[in-house]
C-alpha cells in the first residue's frame, strides 16, 4: 500500500464513527490536511501534503539589513563568514574564517569592534571552522576547530580565557554547536567512522555544554548517519545516505531529524520526546545521469587541484550512491517553536555554476525555500529564500544569514519574517 493510500485510509478510519474504534486519532482541523495520533503522551502529527496557507496567508521574508561591501572600508569586507551570533540586544557577531577574527556590529549594521587575529596563541584564531555560541549573560564561547580550542569572550569583546577542545575525543567529535536566547548551549556529538573506539554507535547525541566546554546531560538523539564507513582498511562514502541534524528552539526544546526521512522529533528541555512530525512526500530518485554528472564534477575538481589521475580514480572507486535523495537538507527552529525545513535539490536541478560548489551535505544542494510547520506540527506551506542566501539562525522574528553576490562577495543579511500571527511569536 502506498503512503498516500495508507494515509487516505487512515483519514477515513479517524473520521466520523471511526473515532469510536480508533481512539488514538484526534479531531480534524478543517483547514489542515493531516492527522494527530496520541502514542503514550507523544503527539504523532501526520501531514498529508496540502498546506494550511492559502494565497493570502503565507509568512514572507523581507530584507531589513545588509552588512558588507565589495570594495571599501575593511571593517565591512568579509573573507569567509563561518558563523553569525546574535546577542540579546541585537548586536551581531560575525566570525570571519579568512581574516581569523570576530567582528561586532551594532543592530543597525555599524561596525563596533574587531576581536582576535590570526595565530595559535592567546587572542588568536585559526583559519578553519569558527563557531560562535552565545551563552548566559551574552558571554561568547567561540570554538576554534583549527586550533582545537574553546575561547570565552565577554560581550564587550574582552578575551577571558581559553582551553583545549579536541576535534576528536575517544572517537567522538562535535559536528555542530547551537544555542537559544535563554543561554542554553548544546553540541551535536557523533562518532567518527573508522576510529578504534569499540563498537560503533548507532546514534548521535545532542548534549548540553557550559562556558567551560564541559559536557552535561543528553537532551536528544538521532540515528547515526551512514554516509561514511570503514571497509577493508579504507573509508567508503555512501552519497545521500542522509545525515542527522538538529536545532535548539527558543523555549529550549530541541528538534532533530535524519535527512533520509521526512520525520522530525521534538524533545522537551529535559530530553523527553514530546512530538513526532511527518510529511507524506516521496524522496526523488537518483538517476544514472545524476551520478555521472556528480562524479564528473568531483573528477574535474580534484584534477584541477593537482591530484594525479590514478589517485583520483582510486578515490572515486570508494564513492557509492543510495537509491534516493534525502528528504531534506537542513532544519531550523523558528519563532514560537515553528519548524523551518529546507528540502533537497536533485543534481539535475543544479545549474553549471552551482555544481562546482557541491560537497556532501553542503547548503548548495538545499532548496531555495523553506517548508514551514507551526508549533503543533501542522504543515503551513513554503517560504521562498532570496537567491544566494544561506540561513544561519533565527533570533525572534529575524533570520540571520550569509548572502553571496554574482562575484561571490559575501555579506551578512538580516531578513524579517512578516505575517506571523501573535500566538506564533517568541
Amino acid at each position: 500500500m502506498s503512503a498516500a493510500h495508507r494515509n487516505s485510509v487512515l483519514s477515513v478510519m479517524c473520521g466520523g464513527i471511526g473515532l469510536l474504534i480508533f481512539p488514538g486519532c484526534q479531531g480534524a482541523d478543517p483547514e489542515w490536511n493531516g492527522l494527530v495520533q496520541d502514542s503514550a503522551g507523544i503527539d504523532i502529527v501526520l501531514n498529508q501534503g496540502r498546506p494550511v496557507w492559502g494565497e493570502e496567508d503565507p509568512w514572507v521574508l523581507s530584507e531589513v539589513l545588509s552588512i558588507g561591501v565589495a570594495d571599501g572600508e575593511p571593517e565591512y569586507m568579509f573573507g569567509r563568514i563561518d558563523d553569525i551570533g546574535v546577542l540579546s540586544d541585537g548586536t551581531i557577531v560575525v566570525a570571519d574564517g579568512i581574516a581569523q577574527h570576530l567582528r561586532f556590529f551594532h543592530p543597525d549594521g555599524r561596525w563596533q569592534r574587531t576581536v582576535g587575529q590570526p595565530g595559535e596563541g592567546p587572542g588568536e584564531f585559526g583559519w578553519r571552522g569558527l563557531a560562535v555560541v552565545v551563552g548566559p549573560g551574552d558571554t561568547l564561547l567561540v570554538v576554534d576547530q583549527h586550533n582545537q580550542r574553546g575561547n570565552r569572550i565577554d560581550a564587550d569583546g574582552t578575551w577571558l580565557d581559553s582551553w583545549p577542545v579536541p576535534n576528536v575525543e575517544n572517537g567522538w567529535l562535535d559536528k555542530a554547536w547551537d544555542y537559544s536566547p535563554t543561554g542554553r548551549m548544546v553540541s551535536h556529538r557523533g562518532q567518527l567512522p573508522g576510529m578504534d573506539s569499540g563498537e560503533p554507535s548507532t546514534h548521535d547525541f545532542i548534549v548540553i555544554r557550559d562556558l567551560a566546554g564541559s559536557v552535561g546531560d543528553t537532551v536528544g538523539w538521532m540515528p547515526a548517519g551512514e554516509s561514511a564507513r570503514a571497509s577493508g582498511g579504507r573509508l567508503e562514502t555512501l552519497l545521500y545516505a542522509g545525515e542527522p541534524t538538529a536545532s535548539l528552539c527558543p523555549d529550549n526544546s530541541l528538534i532533530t531529524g535524519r535527512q533520509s526521512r521526512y520525520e522530525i522529533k521534538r524533545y522537551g528541555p529535559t530530553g523527553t520526546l514530546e512530538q513526532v512530525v511527518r510529511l507524506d512526500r516521496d524522496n526523488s530518485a537518483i538517476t544514472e545521469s545524476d551520478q555521472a554528472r556528480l562524479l564528473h564534477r568531483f573528477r574535474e575538481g580534484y584534477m584541477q587541484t593537482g591530484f594525479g589521475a590514478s589517485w583520483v580514480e582510486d578515490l572515486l572507486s570508494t564513492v557509492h550512491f543510495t537509491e534516493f535523495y534525502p528528504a531534506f537538507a537542513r532544519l531550523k527552529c523558528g519563532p514560537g517553536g515553528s519548524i523551518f525545513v529546507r528540502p533537497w535539490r536533485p543534481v539535475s536541478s543544479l545549474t553549471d555554476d552551482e555544481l562546482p560548489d557541491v560537497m556532501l551535505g553542503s547548503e548548495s544542494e538545499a532548496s531555495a525555500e523553506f517548508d514551514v510547520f507551526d508549533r503543533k506540527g501542522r504543515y503551513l506551506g513554503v517560504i521562498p529564500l532570496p537567491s544566494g542566501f544561506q540561513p544561519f539562525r533565527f533570533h525572534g522574528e529575524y533570520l540571520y544569514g550569509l548572502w553571496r553576490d554574482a562575484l561571490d562577495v559575501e555579506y551578512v543579511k538580516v531578513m524579517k519574517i512578516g505575517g506571523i500571527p501573535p500566538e506564533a511569536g517568541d
Side-chain angles (χ1 to χ4, degrees):
M1 181 183 295
S2 69
H5 187 200
R6 181 181 64 249
N7 285 345
S8 177
V9 172
L10 185 56
S11 179
V12 172
M13 292 192 300
C14 288
I17 195 169
L19 287 173
L20 300 175
I21 306 173
F22 297 93
C25 301
Q26 298 181 9
D29 184 333
E31 297 182 349
W32 173 56
N33 180 221
L35 305 165
V36 180
Q37 297 173 297
D38 182 278
S39 177
I42 301 169
D43 281 344
I44 301 176
V45 187
L46 308 174
N47 291 278
Q48 294 173 271
R50 190 179 71 240
V52 171
W53 283 337
E55 293 183 3
E56 312 247 337
D57 301 322
W59 302 352
V60 293
L61 288 176
S62 57
E63 182 182 319
V64 295
L65 181 64
S66 177
I67 305 174
V69 293
D71 189 18
E73 298 178 74
E75 292 83 3
Y76 297 92
M77 297 177 64
F78 298 108
R80 186 189 68 235
I81 298 173
D82 279 359
D83 202 1
I84 300 172
V86 186
L87 305 187
S88 58
D89 65 356
T91 296
I92 303 166
V93 183
V94 182
D96 191 319
I98 295 295
Q100 295 170 236
H101 62 217
L102 304 180
R103 268 178 264 179
F104 289 67
F105 294 90
H106 189 273
D108 66 10
R110 288 176 290 137
W111 172 81
Q112 294 180 323
R113 67 185 68 88
T114 297
V115 176
Q117 61 184 11
E120 300 178 355
E124 297 175 338
F125 294 114
W127 61 269
R128 175 176 58 88
L130 295 178
V132 179
V133 187
V134 181
D138 281 341
T139 301
L140 298 173
L141 172 60
V142 181
V143 182
D144 181 345
Q145 190 177 61
H146 179 77
N147 286 329
Q148 300 191 53
R149 189 170 63 205
N151 307 286
R152 195 161 58 99
I153 299 171
D154 208 349
D156 64 4
T158 302
W159 198 290
L160 300 176
D161 50 20
S162 303
W163 58 90
V165 177
N167 287 339
V168 180
E169 190 172 14
N170 298 322
W172 290 80
L173 73 160
D174 289 298
K175 298 181 177 181
W177 296 72
D178 202 0
Y179 65 89
S180 75
T182 66
R184 170 171 276 197
M185 305 183 301
V186 298
S187 69
H188 172 183
R189 306 210 87 193
Q191 198 171 38
L192 190 66
M195 295 294 291
D196 186 15
S197 53
E199 188 69 22
S201 174
T202 58
H203 296 95
D204 284 8
F205 301 91
I206 305 297
V207 296
I208 296 175
R209 306 297 289 255
D210 63 20
L211 282 169
S214 299
V215 177
D217 293 338
T218 296
V219 290
W221 59 271
M222 303 152 286
E226 298 179 350
S227 296
R229 60 178 182 268
S231 177
R234 64 178 186 173
L235 202 62
E236 301 274 343
T237 301
L238 182 61
L239 291 183
Y240 306 115
E243 289 297 305
T245 181
S247 179
L248 191 59
C249 301
D251 63 357
N252 287 331
S253 64
L254 176 81
I255 56 173
T256 72
R258 183 172 164 185
Q259 296 167 334
S260 54
R261 183 183 183 189
Y262 215 129
E263 179 181 88
I264 302 159
K265 295 182 178 180
R266 186 188 297 271
Y267 294 87
T270 61
T272 302
L273 181 62
E274 296 179 345
Q275 184 185 60
V276 178
V277 178
R278 295 173 182 152
L279 178 62
D280 185 16
R281 179 184 293 170
D282 293 333
N283 294 12
S284 300
I286 302 174
T287 66
E288 292 185 3
S289 175
D290 290 347
Q291 296 182 31
R293 190 180 185 211
L294 195 59
L295 289 174
H296 178 70
R297 170 263 181 271
F298 289 154
R299 184 175 287 107
E300 278 192 333
Y302 284 118
M303 296 289 283
Q304 290 171 1
T305 309
F307 291 99
S310 61
W311 183 91
V312 172
E313 294 307 317
D314 183 60
L315 175 66
L316 293 183
S317 70
T318 67
V319 176
H320 312 282
F321 291 86
T322 58
E323 186 177 357
F324 296 97
Y325 286 103
F328 61 87
R330 293 287 184 271
L331 57 79
K332 296 183 182 296
C333 206
S338 56
I339 302 173
F340 284 65
V341 181
R342 293 187 72 186
W344 201 283
R345 288 191 299 168
V347 170
S348 58
S349 71
L350 301 175
T351 67
D352 290 339
D353 289 336
E354 291 171 327
L355 194 61
D357 295 328
V358 170
M359 296 175 61
L360 179 62
S362 70
E363 291 283 349
S364 59
E365 291 184 88
S367 175
E369 62 186 23
F370 276 123
D371 286 330
V372 185
F373 302 79
D374 65 13
R375 182 61 175 83
K376 297 178 181 179
R378 301 180 308 164
Y379 177 50
L380 300 181
V382 172
I383 292 182
L385 289 169
S387 177
F389 181 73
Q390 176 183 335
F392 275 32
R393 68 179 65 257
F394 288 94
H395 187 82
E397 58 186 351
Y398 296 95
L399 174 61
Y400 294 76
L402 155 68
W403 180 74
R404 292 186 180 89
D405 66 14
L407 299 177
D408 276 343
V409 177
E410 297 191 356
Y411 301 77
V412 172
K413 294 280 189 182
V414 184
M415 315 294 293
K416 184 176 182 179
I417 310 171
I420 303 177
E423 63 270 16
D426 290 334

